[in-house]
Amino acid sequence: MQVSQRLQEIPPSGTVAISNLVNQMKGEGIDIISFSVGEPDFNTPGNIVDACEKSLRSGFTHYTPSMGIPELRKAIAESVKAKNGIPCEAKNVLVTPTKQALFMIALAYLDPGDEVILPDPSWVSYEAHIRMCGAVPKYVTTDFSDGFVIDPAKVEAAVTPKTKMIVINSPSNPTGCVQPESTLKGIADIAKDKDLMVMTDEIYENIIYDGAKHYSIAAMPDMFDRTITVSGLSKTYAMTGWRIGWMIAPEADIKAVNKLQSHSVTCCTSFTQPAALEAIRGPQEDKVKMVAQFKKRRDLALDLISEIPGLECYVPGGAFYLFPKFSAKISSHELAEKFLMEGHVAVTPGRAFGPAGEGFFRLSYAASEDDIVEGLGRIKKVLGSL
Ligand code: GLU
């Protein structure tokens, strides 16, 4: 059978492919340290698991309204309004897995030939989603020397009559950069001036360190009507496998994207929705403890990296990724392969995140301190042998 031209043109997800390979190698009994896929190694907090069990046992196992259960939509809107300052209500919320939201937004808004401006490097699936719609990614380079902050002047220079959307992801996967308020204001001005829509992926919004502050562009003056904000529970509450998150947008846009939801998955999984309500409304101590752990691990990994000749790393203000720059004269794919095959340690090659990612690799430090010490020891050995 012949797959579509559309699909032939895109590679499999670089992050998911490495995670699959790691699982396979572990299954074969190989002792792999994984810094590859971005997922917390903690268990989901007990109060959330209990809420899920309760909903399963009470028979809450059927379809829900396709936009999500009303109590959850209301709770998300209230939390986003209070915390992010986005002027939203329940009618502005669609409950859906975060990655599904990103995919549906691309399908809902991009026509063939439309151009989408996105930072380089950025998370692997934005480009794939854009290409699957026949649209064209237009990368705006961000630099190690500037801490990977987006330069609004470069965004402005990338705008053409075909530009439809600007994609932002702060804190960023893979760099961990938290975009400053001034940058987001600059991008907001461009979006308003050129009449563009903004899609902002804020999935790492709660994983922030050293007093960095997360800003939502949808909360800036006159931005709500042209912005879709996407976030979810996966990273904040160690709920990656639950597949539940949301998008926030004007009501007409929620209805438009819900058409795709109703024709694809119908609704988000039913029994995770009362659990999501508990995550948002229930006690938050576990979340705070996990973020404190991530910070400790970040600092440990940064210390160890600083002792490895040939590596240099920007200190990120958020997410749980480091994006070290390497001096070895090989490609990031070759280096990641060497780390895996010779050192039995998995990272993601920087090139998977865009052309500007070449010369870097991504290390997810959502791993135990013992694994960080052992894994970076292995990385040092492999680099030393080059
Ligand atoms: N977003 C995570 C990562 O970048 C999970 C895998 C994926 O969805 O790409 O590793």
Side-chain angles (χ1 to χ4, degrees):
M1 289 176 274
Q2 177 84 15
V3 301
S4 66
Q5 191 66 33
R6 204 168 50 240
L7 193 57
Q8 285 177 45
E9 279 168 16
I10 58 152
S13 160
T15 48
V16 176
I18 292 174
S19 161
N20 290 342
L21 183 61
V22 166
N23 287 334
Q24 187 194 320
M25 290 174 82
K26 280 186 174 167
E28 289 162 7
I30 304 172
D31 159 39
I32 303 283
I33 304 270
S34 181
F35 299 138
S36 59
V37 77
E39 70 168 336
D41 57 326
F42 303 110
N43 288 330
T44 304
N47 60 313
I48 302 173
V49 175
D50 289 346
C52 180
E53 186 184 349
K54 198 169 151 213
S55 73
L56 269 168
R57 296 216 178 272
S58 71
F60 197 69
T61 51
H62 302 275
Y63 294 131
T64 70
S66 62
M67 290 189 190
I69 56 174
E71 316 83 280
L72 179 58
R73 294 177 72 205
K74 184 164 176 278
I76 292 168
E78 283 171 1
S79 148
V80 168
K81 192 172 182 178
K83 196 169 78 61
N84 304 59
I86 300 177
C88 60
E89 298 172 39
K91 65 182 183 192
N92 303 117
V93 177
L94 177 68
V95 178
T96 190
T98 313
K99 202 162 169 179
Q100 169 86 4
L102 296 165
F103 187 38
M104 292 194 298
I105 293 162
L107 277 177
Y109 291 92
L110 301 179
D111 284 315
D114 284 345
E115 294 179 359
V116 180
I117 296 176
L118 71 169
D120 182 12
S122 58
W123 175 60
V124 297
S125 295
Y126 303 130
E127 175 175 340
H129 294 168
I130 294 165
R131 288 199 187 282
M132 275 188 249
C133 300
V136 184
K138 289 283 170 185
Y139 278 121
V140 164
T141 305
T142 60
D143 297 310
F144 176 80
S145 53
D146 303 328
F148 300 103
V149 169
I150 301 168
D151 177 356
K154 287 191 190 167
V155 173
E156 186 154 27
V159 176
T160 76
K162 291 186 180 162
T163 307
K164 178 82 189 265
M165 181 190 283
I166 302 173
V167 172
I168 306 171
N169 168 222
S170 178
S172 153
N173 174 4
T175 66
C177 168
V178 181
Q179 297 296 335
E181 186 181 23
S182 55
T183 296
L184 296 178
K185 276 190 173 149
I187 294 172
D189 287 344
I190 296 163
K192 286 183 274 189
D193 188 42
K194 310 279 183 188
D195 194 18
L196 304 174
M197 66 180 287
V198 174
M199 184 183 79
T200 166
D201 176 358
E202 303 184 4
I203 189 73
Y204 298 98
E205 61 184 304
N206 296 308
I207 304 172
I208 293 259
Y209 319 109
D210 306 331
K213 188 161 164 30
H214 171 74
Y215 292 93
S216 288
I217 195 166
M220 294 181 170
D222 303 319
M223 282 305 289
F224 182 70
D225 285 344
R226 58 177 68 252
T227 304
I228 303 183
T229 306
V230 178
S231 193
L233 302 172
S234 293
K235 318 286 180 177
T236 307
Y237 298 96
M239 290 175 71
T240 47
W242 295 64
R243 313 316 293 142
I244 186 160
W246 55 83
M247 63 170 262
I248 310 282
E251 190 179 10
D253 299 274
I254 292 295
K255 285 185 177 158
V257 176
N258 187 49
K259 269 209 265 182
L260 286 167
Q261 173 123 311
S262 69
H263 280 303
S264 52
V265 291
T266 308
C267 61
C268 203
T269 307
S270 57
F271 45 84
T272 63
Q273 295 187 45
L277 190 60
E278 172 64 20
I280 293 167
R281 292 244 172 100
Q284 302 294 313
E285 288 86 27
D286 285 323
K287 166 177 105 177
V288 175
K289 278 190 208 148
M290 287 190 274
V291 174
Q293 277 299 317
F294 286 139
K295 170 156 166 42
K296 214 166 148 214
R297 293 164 177 195
R298 180 200 70 165
D299 293 344
L300 171 66
L302 282 167
D303 274 354
L304 293 167
I305 287 174
S306 71
E307 290 163 9
I308 302 179
L311 291 187
E312 217 184 328
C313 195
Y314 150 77
V315 180
F320 38 61
Y321 303 112
L322 294 179
F323 203 56
K325 184 176 173 167
F326 60 86
S327 59
K329 295 284 166 254
I330 58 175
S331 74
S332 59
H333 275 105
E334 287 166 323
L335 186 64
E337 199 178 317
K338 273 190 185 296
F339 285 162
L340 187 60
M341 296 306 167
E342 294 171 22
H344 292 173
V345 50
V347 301
T348 311
R351 181 62 184 85
F353 302 95
E358 192 47 272
F360 296 80
F361 62 89
R362 189 191 75 174
L363 182 153
S364 162
Y365 55 86
S368 71
E369 289 180 41
D370 285 351
D371 276 3
I372 290 171
V373 173
E374 171 65 23
L376 280 165
R378 295 183 189 185
I379 283 180
K380 187 173 182 179
K381 219 183 249 171
V382 173
L383 283 172
S385 73
L386 290 179

